[in-house]
């Protein structure tokens, strides 16, 4: 658990504009760990809601018989970016990282790159 907390703290400190980050189980919709500004948004509610987004995309890919895996999903709001990145390691099956960025302060390309590196190094 310490490695997970360290990874989330690393995301918050190294990704410019990060408002919050969570590791979410998309089978249950439960956030396993969260870190961020609780005044800006409730990461537990966001985790549960975005679980539906992940499930819907996976169902659609299955119905269309699309090959490959989801690298990440981006939701753009007027003031925020929300990035959903499924965890690909064996120990991360059924999990995704959820990152919320302040759109005015964030560099989207750099945030996606750093989140992909965090996901690759994550041990759950």
């Amino acid at each position: 658990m310490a490695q997970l907390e360290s990874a989330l703290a690393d995301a918050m400190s190294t990704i410019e504009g990060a408002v919050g980050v969570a590791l979410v189980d998309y089978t249950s919709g439960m956030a396993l760990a969260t870190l961020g500004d609780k005044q800006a948004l409730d990461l537990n509610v966001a985790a549960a809601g975005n679980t539906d987004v992940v499930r819907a995309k996976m169902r659609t890919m299955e119905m269309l018989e699309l090959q490959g895996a989801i690298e990440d999903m981006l939701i753009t709001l007027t003031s925020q970016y929300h990035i959903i990145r499924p965890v690909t390691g064996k120990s991360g099956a059924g999990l995704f990282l959820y990152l919320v960025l302040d759109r005015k302060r964030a560099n989207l390309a750099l945030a996606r790159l750093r989140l992909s590196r965090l996901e690759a190094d994550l041990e759950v």
Side-chain angles (χ1 to χ4, degrees):
M1 191 64 145
Q3 195 270 346
L4 176 56
E5 291 169 0
S6 174
L8 296 185
D10 186 45
M12 289 299 295
S13 66
T14 63
I15 299 175
E16 184 68 31
V19 174
V21 63
L23 180 68
V24 184
D25 177 344
Y26 65 76
T27 57
S28 69
M30 195 166 114
L32 304 178
T34 64
L35 186 62
D37 182 356
K38 293 180 183 357
Q39 302 299 330
L41 95 142
D42 185 333
L43 284 166
N44 290 305
V45 172
N50 282 295
T51 293
D52 293 334
V53 173
V54 173
R55 289 180 189 159
K57 186 59 188 173
M58 290 183 164
R59 268 193 316 274
T60 302
M61 288 177 65
E62 188 176 308
M63 288 187 296
L64 294 171
E65 299 178 1
L66 296 176
Q67 301 302 310
I70 298 168
E71 285 185 18
D72 61 31
M73 292 181 238
L74 172 64
I75 300 168
T76 58
L77 306 177
T78 55
S79 63
Q80 295 176 333
Y81 294 123
H82 293 225
I83 304 173
I84 298 168
R85 184 168 186 89
V87 178
T88 58
K90 287 182 183 181
S91 64
L95 304 177
F96 67 88
L97 286 165
Y98 175 61
L99 176 66
V100 180
L101 302 166
D102 178 327
R103 190 170 176 157
K104 289 180 182 174
R105 298 182 312 130
N107 177 324
L108 184 57
L110 192 54
R112 289 181 66 217
L113 177 65
R114 288 197 173 140
L115 190 62
S116 72
R117 288 181 180 162
L118 186 147
E119 182 268 324
D121 294 339
L122 190 64
E123 293 178 20
V124 184

